[in-house]
Amino acid sequence: MSTPARRRLMRDFKRLQTDPPTGISGSPMDSNILMWQAVIFGPDDTPWEGGTFNLTLEFNEEYPNKPPKVRFITKMFHPNIYNDGQICLDILQNQWSPIYDISAILTSIQSLLCDPNPNSPANSEAANLFQSNKREYDRRVRDIVEQSWVESGGVDDDEDDEDSDEDDSNMEDEENNE
């Protein structure tokens, strides 16, 4: 059944395929155009660099007049992301406009990662650290980035990287002694 919302979502999908924003991908889940999965990659030269963050977008028949429900599936540590993955972002709430498409939504979320609003916190611990101890905040973000690799199946869960480096140098020593 073709409805205005479904036609708009198809148009958004085609645009996302032909002109994808850097570090973002998204597509409908299986046979339901109203349910989407998306991935945002952490922007370069930020504590989020290298992260792979999965989201779901749930649209209803009122789209684009009403925003989708967007939620991170990947565990996050960010001032504007609730523990359940919901996102506190003005364009998903009181500043929504039908001119926003899926690319704009995902790009805005990617920007929010690096430019949080600690004055409107969804996670008060992250907001406090961001304001009072940026170094610790960045360390926690890097931990989340590493966890995202495991969750997305990108890297083995090797807790002790230093031992791995030592093992490599020991192997080199053994090769040199042969």
Side-chain angles (χ1 to χ4, degrees), residues 13 27 35 42 46 55 66 75 87 101-103 122 172:
F13 181 47
S27 63
M35 288 294 298
T46 73
L55 304 94
K66 300 262 182 187
K75 183 177 187 224
I87 304 162
D101 64 3
I102 295 167
S103 293
E172 288 172 14

Side-chain angles (χ1 to χ4, degrees), residues 37-176:
Q37 54 197 7
V39 177
I40 293 177
F41 298 98
D44 292 345
D45 303 319
T46 73
W48 299 95
E49 181 175 15
T52 303
F53 308 105
N54 297 299
L55 304 94
T56 58
L57 294 88
E58 185 178 337
F59 298 88
N60 64 37
E61 292 292 348
E62 295 183 64
Y63 178 76
N65 295 317
K66 300 262 182 187
K69 293 178 184 170
V70 183
R71 190 172 80 80
F72 277 96
I73 303 301
T74 308
K75 183 177 187 224
M76 299 298 284
F77 184 76
H78 187 280
N80 306 113
I81 301 172
Y82 291 95
N83 287 332
D84 69 356
Q86 290 185 53
I87 304 162
C88 182
L89 179 62
D90 57 357
I91 70 158
L92 294 176
Q93 288 139 9
N94 58 347
Q95 296 296 314
W96 175 255
S97 169
I99 64 167
Y100 295 124
D101 64 3
I102 295 167
S103 293
I105 294 166
L106 295 173
T107 301
S108 296
I109 294 168
Q110 185 184 46
S111 296
L112 180 69
L113 291 179
C114 304
D115 190 21
N117 178 3
N119 298 322
S120 178
N123 179 327
S124 56
E125 180 186 7
N128 290 336
L129 273 179
F130 180 80
Q131 290 180 306
S132 66
N133 189 345
K134 187 80 165 57
R135 181 182 222 157
E136 177 62 14
Y137 172 81
D138 288 350
R139 186 191 68 74
R140 296 277 299 269
V141 168
R142 285 189 297 275
D143 287 348
I144 291 295
V145 167
E146 289 181 19
Q147 287 178 28
S148 79
W149 301 336
V150 175
E151 288 179 24
S152 67
V155 172
D156 290 337
D157 190 10
D158 186 2
E159 289 293 320
D160 198 356
D161 290 338
E162 289 178 24
D163 286 349
S164 295
D165 293 341
E166 286 176 22
D167 290 345
D168 291 344
S169 64
N170 287 343
M171 287 174 59
E172 288 172 14
D173 289 345
E174 288 173 18
E175 289 173 4
N176 290 338

